[in-house]
Amino acid sequence: AQSVTQLGSHVSVSEGALVLLRCNYSSSVPPYLFWYVQYPNQGLQLLLKYTTGATLVKGINGFEAEFKKSETSFHLTKPSAHMSDAAEYFCAVSDGGATNKLIFGTGTLLAVQP
Amino acid sequence: IAGITQAPTSQILAAGRRMTLRCTQDMRHNAMYWYRQDLGLGLRLIHYSNTAGTTGKGEVPDGYSVSRANTDDFPLTLASAVPSQTSVYFCASSDGATQYFGPGTRLTVL
């Protein structure tokens, strides 16, 4: 069975500071990994994904994540936070099979302080 | 390109009533999904469909049913709503690698 753990339900950073949102996964097969962002009262928008190949994945809005198999991690980072980054972020895993079902973490709410 | 549309945007429903949440996609994706989002629990899969004519149960299917008569539409029905079904419901479709989400329906069952 697959699972996702997001450490820290709330993270607060200052504008211009590094953003680090943690995600660890459990999977018995090579995983497909995703980060989604949800702005207030909106649906989920794909930030980035890892399927195969290069382990450092770049996404939209300056975010990137690195797949580390040895640590079963897929942490999300951004060098410099912007006020517009304030949102909830979800890490998710799938087995990439025919059904492609996603298992989500419980989310991390990012606050950006001026 | 509309992507995925959901209706209604929000609804208040009396317990015991029947309710159908609508979901339509225009991307011709074979796979579609229904999730519910609850505070502190993230998103949980209710039902899914790999292709028109087939459906499957997700993590929390009890009290919900779905149908997939064609590629574009994937309605979710609550036969007899209960307060624990108060949630935000998201429909999604997949191109095989990535799931794309609709804007959601906020449902309150009183």
Side-chain angles (χ1 to χ4, degrees):
Chain A
Q2 296 177 306
S3 65
V4 174
T5 301
Q6 290 185 241
L7 294 176
S9 58
H10 292 78
V11 170
S12 182
V13 300
S14 298
E15 191 172 19
L18 171 72
V19 175
L20 170 61
L21 304 183
R22 299 179 185 275
C23 173
N24 288 87
Y25 70 91
S26 172
S27 179
S28 59
V29 298
Y32 287 13
L33 295 160
F34 304 82
W35 275 100
Y36 283 87
V37 61
Q38 184 180 33
Y39 298 102
N41 299 313
Q42 295 187 26
L44 276 71
Q45 179 183 2
L46 181 69
L47 267 181
L48 49 81
K49 65 180 180 183
Y50 168 80
T51 53
T52 58
T55 57
L56 182 62
V57 180
K58 296 186 183 299
I60 62 172
N61 301 337
F63 284 92
E64 62 182 36
E66 186 171 11
F67 169 56
K68 293 187 176 181
K69 183 178 179 181
S70 61
E71 298 177 8
T72 61
S73 69
F74 192 58
H75 302 330
L76 181 70
T77 61
K78 182 175 180 177
S80 177
H82 191 273
M83 296 295 289
S84 61
D85 294 327
E88 189 154 24
Y89 293 79
F90 292 93
C91 182
V93 63
S94 84
D95 61 8
T99 301
N100 196 31
K101 289 183 283 186
L102 285 176
I103 303 298
F104 282 89
T106 53
T108 297
L109 187 62
L110 176 66
V112 181
Q113 308 299 327
Chain B
I1 298 176
I4 298 178
T5 57
Q6 293 185 237
T9 301
S10 65
Q11 181 76 43
I12 299 174
L13 189 67
R17 297 295 296 270
R18 180 183 180 90
M19 177 72 190
T20 294
L21 309 185
R22 301 185 298 278
C23 174
T24 300
Q25 54 113 352
D26 63 3
M27 297 177 283
R28 307 300 293 172
H29 290 164
N30 282 324
M32 296 187 74
Y33 311 83
W34 274 105
Y35 294 88
R36 59 177 289 172
Q37 182 179 23
D38 302 290
L39 192 64
L41 298 177
L43 281 83
R44 294 177 292 168
L45 183 65
I46 304 171
H47 285 287
Y48 65 92
S49 169
N50 286 337
T51 189
T54 69
T55 62
K57 293 182 178 180
E59 183 183 358
V60 288
D62 294 343
Y64 305 95
S65 63
V66 292
S67 62
R68 188 86 184 278
N70 58 60
T71 297
D72 298 344
D73 301 299
F74 191 42
L76 175 73
T77 297
L78 290 66
S80 179
V82 295
S84 62
Q85 292 177 311
T86 293
S87 187
V88 182
Y89 291 86
F90 288 100
C91 179
S93 69
S94 173
D95 60 7
T98 302
Q99 289 191 23
Y100 301 90
F101 285 79
T105 293
R106 184 174 297 273
L107 181 67
T108 302
V109 182
L110 302 176

